[in-house]
Amino acid sequence: MSVIVNPFEPAELCGVKLSSRIIRSATHEGMADEYGKPTEQLIKTYEKYAKGGAGLIITGYMAVTQQGKCPLYNMTMLDRDELIPAWKELTDRVHAAGAPIFAQIAHCGRQTRKKVTGMKTVAPSAIRDFLYWETVPHKLKEKEIYRIIGQFADAALRAKEAGFDGIQLHCAHGYLLSEFLSSHTNHRKDKWGGSLENRFRIVDECMKAMREKVGDFPIIVKMNCFEKDKDGIKPEEAVEIAKLMEKAGVDGIEVSCGLLKEGFDMSRGDFPYPIMCADNFRYEHLPKFTWPLMKPVMKMLMGSPKPLRSYNVEAAGMIKKAVGVPVIVVGGIRSKDEINAVLSGEKADFVSMSRPFILEPDLVNKLRDGIEDEVKCINCNYCLMGAEQRPLRCYYGKLPENK
């Protein structure tokens, strides 16, 4: 029997009060300066989300170390104490605008470029990435793993001191912690690989180290429920990972899917081939006459699988039945009916969205007030490719004029 849950009424997530059950999911904004410090543009963007009714804002990922920085435009950082005052100004203003905000912290592992970080690329195993294949990543030694664990803990403390309401630990999408969790990217034979418990060990150690620094401060995670590769994470294993997450002391779980090399699996919709050719570092130097020749192959490798809507909901429901902590689900949820189906169908406790907020910062207010029943995002995915060279924005399926 379904339980009627109003998505627009106040709720609590690990002790944090939310004005609604609709969350702005982490999205790389590219609105930092060259040192990873948040800009006025980023603060104003978050203020719009807060005033627009978002129950919670989760920041775009912040690197815990220079080595873990992403290859996209102007990533935010939380790798040194000097950044705390700037983040404190941001959290103060977001709170004044009416919403809590969590800091998502991450290490990009092998999914980055030495040209961007200035440092060697690292991973649990020396397996070359399909997208970032310039070099075989360095297989982390145990002392290096513990150093990274300490960097996550230090970043968590900085987030708390900067006034964030909680932390989201990024364990999805093929970044470092995700690489350890997945058999596809973790081929280790030591205590950090092999069994699920061993592959989970780095997350468990991160949780212990963070708890020592921040106490009972809210910590949620983002994790994959599905990966295309035969030996990648599938929903049944995701349930077991979620159980380990709860045992490790995680306060909530956001369910997502996909790796960067899998293309538009995590962000399903149109295949944004024109802006990919214009902006991606692999293709931007190719002559335009080659674009049509490459499109069929690239679409086959990186296009979206089906379904295109609510594609993580069933797996989230499996996880929700298996754990006692709140579950958030992201992925192709685009209408009031779909939100209600998730919440009242007890598939998850909260719904999060990413791309729709780029076009409509006030979408929660619009849905609540009956101004619209479905968001305006057309899932063109131009926003994702455009973030490689410029700040986040909606392109609505059109290539920028200067391209």
Side-chain angles (χ1 to χ4, degrees):
M1 181 177 176
S2 296
V3 177
I4 303 301
V5 178
N6 186 341
F8 306 107
E9 288 185 349
E12 278 197 11
L13 173 62
C14 48
V16 179
K17 294 181 179 180
L18 280 60
S19 62
S20 74
R21 290 183 180 267
I22 303 174
I23 295 170
R24 187 270 191 172
S25 192
T27 312
H28 171 77
E29 300 97 358
M31 297 177 189
D33 67 12
E34 60 182 315
Y35 304 107
K37 178 182 175 181
T39 61
E40 180 66 17
Q41 183 183 14
L42 182 60
I43 296 173
K44 287 182 177 178
T45 297
Y46 289 162
E47 286 178 323
K48 289 178 183 177
Y49 297 152
K51 293 175 182 177
L56 169 68
I57 298 164
I58 303 176
T59 69
Y61 53 4
M62 302 186 212
V64 301
T65 171
Q66 181 69 25
Q67 191 175 44
K69 190 176 181 181
C70 82
L72 303 181
Y73 183 81
N74 286 16
M75 183 185 192
T76 50
M77 304 289 291
L78 203 56
D79 63 330
R80 55 199 184 282
D81 293 346
E82 291 78 9
L83 293 170
I84 293 174
W87 286 115
K88 184 66 170 66
E89 179 185 353
L90 181 145
T91 59
D92 285 345
R93 288 175 57 177
V94 171
H95 291 152
I101 182 167
F102 280 25
Q104 187 189 75
I105 56 176
H107 187 303
C108 289
R110 70 176 189 168
Q111 292 183 158
T112 189
R113 304 168 65 198
K114 183 177 180 180
K115 183 178 179 181
V116 174
T117 66
M119 305 173 74
K120 62 185 177 184
T121 302
V122 300
S125 300
I127 303 171
R128 197 186 301 269
D129 187 78
F130 175 76
L131 292 180
Y132 304 105
W133 45 256
E134 293 97 334
T135 59
V136 176
H138 165 71
K139 177 183 174 180
L140 286 164
K141 298 177 181 178
E142 184 161 299
K143 64 179 181 179
E144 295 171 320
I145 293 173
Y146 278 113
R147 184 184 305 128
I148 291 171
I149 290 167
Q151 290 166 340
F152 271 105
D154 290 342
L157 180 58
R158 292 184 191 109
K160 182 177 181 179
E161 292 177 344
F164 284 98
D165 300 280
I167 299 156
Q168 184 175 68
L169 186 65
H170 202 337
C171 300
H173 302 163
Y175 297 118
L176 185 67
L177 299 183
S178 172
E179 290 167 15
F180 271 91
L181 289 172
S182 177
S183 293
H184 180 69
T185 43
N186 185 347
H187 293 183
R188 300 178 74 101
K189 304 299 183 183
D190 60 6
K191 71 178 186 180
W192 305 96
S195 68
L196 177 56
E197 288 74 16
N198 281 356
R199 285 181 276 126
F200 183 78
R201 189 180 305 277
I202 190 171
V203 179
D204 192 44
E205 292 294 331
C206 280
M207 286 299 300
K208 290 176 182 176
M210 290 191 295
R211 287 295 181 206
E212 287 181 5
K213 294 273 188 176
V214 302
D216 60 358
F217 192 61
I219 302 175
I220 65 173
V221 298
K222 189 169 195 172
M223 60 168 280
N224 276 355
C225 68
F226 179 80
E227 297 167 1
K228 284 183 181 178
D229 294 295
K230 184 178 180 180
D231 53 353
I233 292 170
K234 300 298 183 288
E236 294 74 18
E237 186 175 37
V239 169
E240 299 307 312
I241 293 172
K243 290 178 182 178
L244 291 174
M245 294 284 189
E246 181 178 26
K247 185 178 179 181
V250 164
D251 295 310
I253 298 170
E254 184 179 20
V255 180
S256 188
C257 70
L259 315 177
L260 294 191
K261 75 181 186 69
E262 295 174 348
F264 296 91
D265 187 29
M266 73 180 83
S267 303
R268 299 182 189 181
D270 292 342
F271 184 62
Y273 192 65
I275 196 168
M276 178 185 292
C277 289
D279 278 11
N280 184 264
F281 73 99
R282 290 267 176 245
Y283 313 112
E284 62 179 336
H285 302 299
L286 296 176
K288 285 191 175 182
F289 75 84
T290 66
W291 293 8
L293 303 176
M294 296 171 57
K295 184 175 182 180
V297 176
M298 294 306 299
K299 188 172 184 179
M300 179 182 68
L301 292 172
M302 304 186 74
S304 294
K306 292 183 178 179
L308 301 180
R309 304 280 286 253
S310 300
Y311 42 87
N312 293 320
V313 169
E314 290 307 312
M318 292 169 60
I319 290 171
K320 179 172 168 54
K321 288 180 180 179
V323 299
V325 296
V327 172
I328 307 162
V329 64
V330 66
I333 300 166
R334 296 292 182 264
S335 71
K336 192 182 295 187
D337 285 345
E338 288 168 346
I339 294 169
N340 287 330
V342 169
L343 299 178
S344 297
E346 298 187 83
K347 301 293 186 181
D349 302 285
F350 298 86
V351 166
S352 59
M353 301 182 195
S354 169
R355 291 167 289 171
F357 276 101
I358 302 169
L359 175 60
E360 298 180 277
D362 59 345
L363 68 85
V364 179
N365 287 346
K366 288 179 178 177
L367 292 170
R368 182 198 61 213
D369 297 340
I371 296 173
E372 61 188 35
D373 293 324
E374 182 158 336
V375 302
K376 293 179 180 178
C377 175
I378 58 174
N379 304 316
C380 67
N381 286 322
Y382 273 56
C383 55
L384 304 181
M385 297 309 305
E388 189 160 335
Q389 295 195 15
R390 60 185 71 83
L392 185 70
R393 52 162 282 202
C394 177
Y395 297 86
Y396 217 70
K398 294 182 179 180
L399 200 63
E401 291 183 5
N402 64 341
K403 292 293 182 180

